[in-house]
Amino acid sequence: LWPPLPTDLVACELACRYLLSVIRGSIALQYHVALIGAKAMDNPCSVLPVSTKLAQLKAGEKAWAVLRPNFTASIPVKHSPSGIYDLTGGVYLLGDQTRRALHYVRLPSHAEEEAEWKTIDVGRMIIDMGLCVYEHDLIAVVTTTPHIVPGGRTTFDIELAFFEFSSGKPHPQARKHRLHVMNSVYEKPAIGIEIVGDNLVLVLFYHRNDASPPDRVFIYDWRTAVVKTSFAVPYKTYSGLVFLTEDIILLPNTQTNALDIFRIPSKPSLDSNSHLPVLSLSLPTLAEGRTVGGISCRSEPNPIGASSYLDKKKEARERLNAQGQGEEEEDLFPKRGYLASAEQAICIFAVRILGVQLGNFQFGHTFTFVAHRSALVNVLEQYEKEQEEKREERKEEKERKREQEETAAGARMDDGGLGADSIPRKNGQSAGAPSSSSAPGSNAYPDADADANAPSSPSPPRIPWASWGPEITRWFNSDSIPTRWITTTAGQRCVLIADSAPDTGFPYVVLDFNPENVRRMKGWLKARKAKEREPGRGTRERAEEETHGGDAGAGGVVDEAEEAWVEVGSALDDDAARDMDAMMDGQVHTGIAIVDEDDLERTATPIPNAPISDDVSVASNQAPVASTGSVSTDTSSNSEFDNGHDVGIDIDTDSVDISMDDEEGSETPYDIELTSESESESDGANGNADLDEDENGDVDRDRDTDNPLEGPDSAAARRIWCVTTSEIVEPSETFSEHVEGRLPYVACASARTYAFHGVLLDEERVIGIRTDVMDRIKHVEVHHFG
């Protein structure tokens, strides 16, 4: 009976007052409900009491709601880093220029913690690595070693080495410390690697290689060093992967413009069709003259095996029993009481579309789209369910035909004659039997068996984009955000910042795709707008009315956040009040823009309110509107930043639908205790602080003079917007079909601007990256939210 379903709890609460009081008074049940709402899971490594875990969860959700960090910390990078990096489980890792060692730092969870860089010496030339710190305390390093063959030719041994991450020693659970992968005539292939449970998936591919060598995919049981399966595919097919479950992986296919889904065999397989996915999800069809330049992907955290979860529960109990019995070993497991749910985490995909080429310059666009891991699994499961139903129908139909034929044959035998239907044909089919090419029953998904029986080479079943994609994805134009780093998502959240931020300073923006958070924030914003936009009343009039004990407001929508706004408004002069109203009703400048393919100057342009046709299905009953705030990135292989382009847009909160269909508008999100503390004004009437530069050259400017209060106050609301309706992907001429996404999200811009060259995200933090003129990482700034 444990854990109870949310619907069961609601039913019990409505049954009687006694059950209501029991549920409301149970810390365990309240923690369980809070985990469900936050799309989180209990941390099996944590030995904290449930009451502490619940308090941590509530505090973390509040801080993330308005991007109010608990503390910030700057960590200098003292070595000369290479392009190798990763961020997972609170650990930030960088390679170095020697490519023979890896440096990592455990990011602080408390203000008093000191970050200390540590080193893992590999002793061989490193190509790349994969981390599985939380589940196995494992780092798998891919190395290359030159090897002289007869005739004096040099080849390279590509190997995997398994280390215990916390100690830097060979991993005790790996049967072989070093595992030979292949011998190659090329020194350093590019790598895609992920580890979940016993499965390690390694993708080897090559950038800009005139010989067009094939891509290779290897799937290992890393503990036993057994190859479960491996296969080669054409050049520039695969470059990365995402684990959907412990035994299901997704590989974006650049050649077919699709997402290929594979099931990992439980035992080693020599199946000649192992290179064929069980299902392929088509991406939007490209317009003529466009090609896919590359697709990168990421989802954090990864799933863990059921056995690993139980092992961690056991280890936590052992650590609890051992407390006070000698020194405790330092481990890298997360200490927080809860973790983001891997099964419900978002997956992010960056798709580079190439267009017209003029000389050495390739025009193109980058698009980012997001989907929940669970939604992709549901597509596969629904497809397999329908295929199973079709097979059952065929089986039943075949059985009925057999019975009918036996009955008819018996009747003819009784009559002593032969009918025309019984005359055999050359192909073994009776004259009256239906053709195998008869059209199958109508269904959203293709018939896998029909495809498999085709005489040509086998191909995977494929679902068109329009049949699976629009409802579960959200697309953004991504032409002006740095995508050098893909580690920008964790759980339900994604972070981004404009690529011109190092020149001008911009806030970073966190997108939250948790539907529960979207619902709550949407209701709160609706209530706040209803109060602030009463006809004929400005800021000063509302302030005076509240100050002199007037009516508390229309519709009974009054809360302490409104009182905070009143106190701010009453402290301003007329010009400042008008400026504050403009900020409330106007725009938040984030530096994120849609950039036209032919606009070489990349001038700043507002995102247009692109119309949506009447036949578009919208999730709510609201009239469809086009939302603002499209994301921008550049994954060009020639440059990682577009320096010197000062792009900027206006996010007009008026054009964003924040209406509600229910009566939850008066409810403040996240159970926040709102306060009436007023904001601090650091620049007089205009409410903006002067631009300051620290010793690191960091531009650090108050975004909206918000001294964050105990929740999403009125000032914070200027930085928050919800998008719940359809959003057309621009520029639409990139595709030959209508492309839109309907996955809702709530976004919040940071209260200050930062001169970051990039931003990363893990479950507890936003990490800002600063580089030098040589594009080497010199500082990382940690903003901890919990």
Side-chain angles (χ1 to χ4, degrees):
L1 299 176
W2 184 268
L5 297 174
T7 51
D8 294 339
L9 290 176
V10 172
C12 290
E13 284 186 335
L14 296 176
C16 66
R17 291 184 178 180
Y18 174 74
L19 288 178
L20 175 63
S21 63
V22 169
I23 294 172
R24 296 290 175 89
S26 170
I27 296 296
L29 286 176
Q30 291 303 307
Y31 179 53
H32 172 66
V33 171
L35 287 174
I36 294 174
K39 300 294 183 288
M41 58 176 282
D42 183 59
N43 178 7
C45 298
S46 174
V47 295
L48 294 172
V50 174
S51 58
T52 303
K53 293 181 178 182
L54 177 60
Q56 286 183 347
L57 178 55
K58 287 186 174 182
E61 289 297 290
K62 292 177 185 178
W64 279 108
V66 291
L67 293 187
R68 183 189 62 227
N70 304 317
F71 67 89
T72 62
S74 181
I75 304 174
V77 178
K78 299 179 180 179
H79 68 281
S80 184
S82 65
I84 298 173
Y85 75 97
D86 204 351
L87 171 66
T88 183
V91 173
Y92 181 53
L93 180 145
L94 291 171
D96 65 17
Q97 290 292 342
T98 68
R99 300 190 74 92
R100 291 181 176 273
L102 299 168
H103 305 262
Y104 71 90
V105 60
R106 180 167 185 166
L107 300 174
S109 296
H110 304 284
E112 63 274 11
E113 289 185 33
E114 293 186 5
E116 178 184 356
W117 286 96
K118 297 183 179 181
T119 303
I120 298 176
D121 291 315
V122 177
R124 301 194 183 189
M125 184 66 68
I126 302 170
I127 302 176
D128 211 333
M129 54 78 227
L131 286 175
C132 189
V133 177
Y134 170 61
E135 185 175 8
H136 297 306
D137 190 17
L138 169 68
I139 178 171
V141 184
V142 185
T143 63
T144 178
T145 305
H147 180 69
I148 306 299
V149 298
R153 189 166 58 96
T154 301
T155 61
F156 300 88
D157 289 329
I158 310 300
E159 295 180 324
L160 276 166
F162 303 108
F163 293 90
E164 189 176 46
F165 189 79
S166 58
S167 67
K169 300 177 182 179
H171 200 285
Q173 296 181 29
R175 182 174 298 175
K176 292 184 178 179
H177 172 52
R178 295 193 182 276
L179 176 62
H180 179 78
V181 177
M182 63 177 292
N183 186 264
S184 173
V185 297
Y186 307 105
E187 180 183 10
K188 291 191 296 185
I191 299 297
I193 182 172
E194 294 289 346
I195 308 164
V196 171
D198 294 338
N199 297 315
L200 183 152
V201 181
L202 176 66
V203 181
L204 305 182
F205 60 101
Y206 300 86
H207 287 304
R208 297 184 295 276
N209 191 311
D210 294 336
S212 301
D215 301 338
R216 299 293 301 267
V217 178
F218 300 87
I219 302 179
Y220 294 96
D221 183 324
W222 67 270
R223 284 190 171 100
T224 62
V226 172
V227 181
K228 289 188 172 182
T229 188
S230 68
F231 53 88
V233 290
Y235 177 62
K236 287 188 175 181
T237 296
Y238 298 133
S239 59
L241 74 144
V242 168
F243 267 90
L244 298 183
T245 69
E246 186 178 1
D247 59 358
I248 300 176
I249 56 174
L250 181 151
L251 285 78
N253 191 322
T254 303
Q255 292 285 345
T256 62
N257 188 30
L259 306 179
D260 290 347
I261 300 177
F262 294 81
R263 284 194 179 274
I264 297 175
S266 58
K267 297 180 180 179
S269 172
L270 298 177
D271 185 359
S272 60
N273 290 330
S274 63
H275 67 287
L276 294 176
V278 295
L279 183 63
S280 187
L281 307 179
S282 295
L283 295 178
T285 306
L286 302 180
E288 184 178 358
R290 268 74 170 184
T291 59
V292 179
I295 306 175
S296 56
C297 57
R298 165 83 170 184
S299 187
E300 175 74 12
N302 266 335
I304 68 170
S307 60
S308 297
Y309 185 88
L310 294 175
D311 288 343
K312 292 189 179 302
K313 296 283 284 187
K314 179 181 178 181
E315 292 168 2
R317 287 194 298 268
E318 291 174 351
R319 286 198 305 273
L320 181 61
N321 295 332
Q323 284 183 355
Q325 301 178 12
E327 294 185 4
E328 294 185 20
E329 293 185 4
E330 175 64 21
D331 62 59
L332 292 166
F333 297 141
K335 301 299 190 294
R336 191 176 61 164
Y338 63 98
L339 303 171
S341 169
E343 289 72 17
Q344 301 183 75
I346 60 172
C347 304
I348 187 170
F349 302 86
V351 185
R352 176 67 176 169
I353 306 299
L354 303 179
V356 179
Q357 183 167 354
L358 296 178
N360 294 327
F361 187 81
Q362 180 88 56
F363 288 90
H365 292 288
T366 300
F367 299 91
T368 298
F369 73 91
V370 171
H372 282 100
R373 180 183 267 135
S374 58
L376 295 171
V377 173
N378 289 341
V379 171
L380 173 62
E381 291 178 346
Q382 179 64 25
Y383 167 78
E384 291 180 331
K385 179 181 177 181
E386 293 186 3
Q387 295 304 309
E388 181 62 28
E389 291 174 351
K390 287 182 179 180
R391 283 189 286 269
E392 288 297 323
E393 290 175 359
R394 292 192 191 95
K395 183 179 179 180
E396 293 174 0
E397 180 65 21
K398 187 176 181 180
E399 184 65 22
R400 283 195 299 270
K401 289 179 179 178
R402 186 184 65 80
E403 292 175 355
Q404 291 173 359
E405 290 174 355
E406 289 177 352
T407 301
R412 288 191 296 272
M413 292 294 291
D414 292 341
D415 294 342
L418 295 176
D421 288 345
S422 65
I423 300 175
R425 303 297 179 182
K426 291 182 179 180
N427 59 2
Q429 183 181 31
S430 297
S435 170
S436 61
S437 61
S438 299
S442 60
N443 204 297
Y445 295 156
D447 191 331
D449 290 344
D451 292 340
N453 293 331
S456 59
S457 60
S459 60
R462 192 160 179 169
I463 301 178
W465 154 256
S467 297
W468 74 269
E471 291 293 341
I472 66 171
T473 63
R474 175 66 65 172
W475 284 67
F476 307 94
N477 179 286
S478 306
D479 283 328
S480 45
I481 288 180
T483 55
R484 171 182 176 181
W485 300 281
I486 193 65
T487 51
T488 58
T489 72
Q492 301 290 310
R493 299 181 179 96
C494 173
V495 69
L496 52 97
I497 196 169
D499 66 352
S500 59
D503 297 326
T504 63
F506 278 114
Y508 56 79
V509 178
V510 172
L511 312 181
D512 188 342
F513 293 89
N514 183 339
E516 183 65 16
N517 289 348
V518 174
R519 182 190 65 82
R520 290 176 175 179
M521 189 60 75
K522 187 178 178 183
W524 185 82
L525 287 174
K526 178 186 177 182
R528 192 200 61 78
K529 274 200 169 186
K531 175 65 178 176
E532 291 300 327
R533 296 190 174 179
E534 293 180 11
R537 300 198 335 158
T539 303
R540 292 183 61 82
E541 288 80 2
R542 290 192 298 271
E544 291 174 1
E545 181 175 323
E546 292 289 339
T547 302
H548 292 89
D551 190 344
V557 182
V558 181
D559 56 35
E560 291 168 334
E562 297 298 328
E563 296 173 9
W565 172 246
V566 167
E567 290 189 14
V568 173
S570 61
L572 303 177
D573 59 22
D574 290 339
D575 291 337
R578 282 192 294 270
D579 289 342
M580 195 69 81
D581 275 333
M583 292 181 71
M584 292 293 293
D585 298 334
Q587 296 100 10
V588 177
H589 298 274
T590 65
I592 305 165
I594 287 181
V595 181
D596 187 78
E597 185 178 26
D598 298 323
D599 186 3
L600 298 180
E601 296 181 357
R602 300 194 177 208
T603 55
T605 55
I607 295 179
N609 290 334
I612 295 180
S613 60
D614 294 337
D615 59 349
V616 173
S617 174
V618 181
S620 67
N621 296 325
Q622 310 301 322
V625 297
S627 63
T628 60
S630 291
V631 181
S632 310
T633 89
D634 185 0
T635 56
S636 171
S637 58
N638 297 324
S639 65
E640 292 163 341
F641 303 98
D642 269 343
N643 294 319
H645 302 305
D646 186 11
V647 296
I649 69 157
D650 295 333
I651 296 178
D652 184 359
T653 56
D654 286 341
S655 68
V656 182
D657 172 36
I658 63 165
S659 59
M660 287 286 286
D661 295 332
D662 51 27
E663 295 298 322
E664 298 173 356
S666 61
E667 168 185 321
T668 56
Y670 315 109
D671 298 324
I672 292 173
E673 297 293 335
L674 298 174
T675 176
S676 60
E677 178 184 352
S678 63
E679 296 178 319
S680 60
E681 296 295 333
S682 59
D683 192 31
N686 62 13
N688 289 319
D690 291 334
L691 196 66
D692 295 325
E693 188 171 305
D694 62 17
E695 65 273 14
N696 297 319
D698 178 29
V699 177
D700 197 2
R701 179 177 56 188
D702 282 341
R703 175 76 191 108
D704 55 14
T705 67
D706 176 21
N707 180 17
L709 308 178
E710 272 297 313
D713 53 278
S714 295
R718 298 196 298 272
R719 302 184 280 109
I720 299 171
W721 65 99
C722 291
V723 180
T724 59
T725 54
S726 301
E727 201 170 28
I728 296 177
V729 179
E730 296 290 349
S732 58
E733 59 267 20
T734 304
F735 306 96
S736 65
E737 63 178 309
H738 178 81
V739 181
E740 64 177 352
R742 301 172 195 146
L743 183 65
Y745 66 91
V746 57
C748 183
S750 61
R752 296 189 175 199
T753 58
Y754 301 93
F756 294 147
H757 293 82
V759 284
L760 316 179
L761 185 80
D762 72 3
E763 294 183 33
E764 300 182 40
R765 312 161 187 86
V766 169
I767 296 95
I769 301 296
R770 301 193 192 98
T771 62
D772 61 14
V773 293
M774 300 297 292
D775 199 25
R776 294 173 301 196
I777 299 174
K778 302 305 293 182
H779 283 86
V780 293
E781 183 171 310
V782 178
H783 292 196
H784 184 271
F785 298 92

